[in-house]
Amino acid sequence: MSKHVFYHAGCPVCVSAEHDIVKLIGEQDVEIVHLGDEKEKVAEAENAGVRSVPALVLSNGNVLHINFGASIDDLKN
Amino acid sequence: MSKHVFYHAGCPVCVSAEHDIVKLIGEQDVEIVHLGDEKEKVAEAENAGVRSVPALVLSNGNVLHINFGASIDDLKN
């Protein structure tokens, strides 16, 4: 099974959700991507269906938008 | 540890998220509450901080609002 990917942007809402998600799923099963630090992955996230962060893209392709930190559009600049 | 509680209202967004969450966390660790069928639990959910469904209230008290199916206010009638 491929990993789940958790996209965030370092915002307080994101960090809190990250801790919760890692605890729920287990660190070994989730890849964490900070879109503020890794701008080149914004397009990858958007193609996966991410419209806001924090978001969890599951290995089955489903996207869970969790709470609301920032719009993906705000991460493009 | 007390269980996590997943609140939903039977909407398509909710059902999809429910399947994903149960798969992620494991059925034995999450209680599923259908607020459309269990109206008396709407107040309980609201007190826990649920503002929309589907939402996952973690055993640590944090609330993860997952995608957006319906506002909690729409479930009060």
Side-chain angles (χ1 to χ4, degrees):
Chain A
M1 186 183 80
S2 63
K3 275 191 177 188
H4 313 297
V5 185
F6 181 80
Y7 291 99
H8 73 113
C11 55
V13 168
C14 297
V15 172
S16 171
E18 179 185 337
H19 290 162
D20 288 330
I21 290 293
V22 166
K23 208 165 157 187
L24 274 178
I25 307 181
E27 200 169 358
Q28 71 285 358
D29 288 329
V30 59
E31 180 189 346
I32 311 285
V33 174
H34 187 316
L35 291 177
D37 292 342
E38 302 178 76
K39 288 283 185 190
E40 72 281 6
K41 295 206 171 170
V42 171
E44 171 194 296
E46 197 170 28
N47 286 337
V50 173
R51 291 188 309 253
S52 63
V53 289
L56 181 66
V57 177
L58 300 177
S59 57
N60 69 6
N62 286 357
V63 183
L64 301 180
H65 292 93
I66 299 165
N67 296 339
F68 182 84
S71 165
I72 192 90
D73 287 329
D74 294 333
L75 302 173
K76 289 182 183 172
N77 302 312
Chain B
M1 187 183 81
S2 63
K3 275 192 177 189
H4 312 297
V5 185
F6 181 80
Y7 291 100
H8 74 113
C11 56
V13 168
C14 297
V15 171
S16 170
E18 179 185 336
H19 290 162
D20 288 330
I21 289 294
V22 166
K23 207 165 157 186
L24 275 178
I25 307 181
E27 200 169 358
Q28 71 285 358
D29 288 329
V30 58
E31 180 189 346
I32 311 283
V33 175
H34 187 316
L35 290 177
D37 292 341
E38 301 177 76
K39 289 283 186 190
E40 71 281 5
K41 295 206 171 172
V42 171
E44 171 194 295
E46 197 168 30
N47 286 336
V50 173
R51 291 188 308 254
S52 62
V53 290
L56 182 67
V57 178
L58 301 176
S59 57
N60 68 6
N62 286 357
V63 184
L64 300 181
H65 292 92
I66 298 165
N67 296 338
F68 182 83
S71 163
I72 192 89
D73 287 329
D74 293 334
L75 301 173
K76 289 182 182 171
N77 301 314

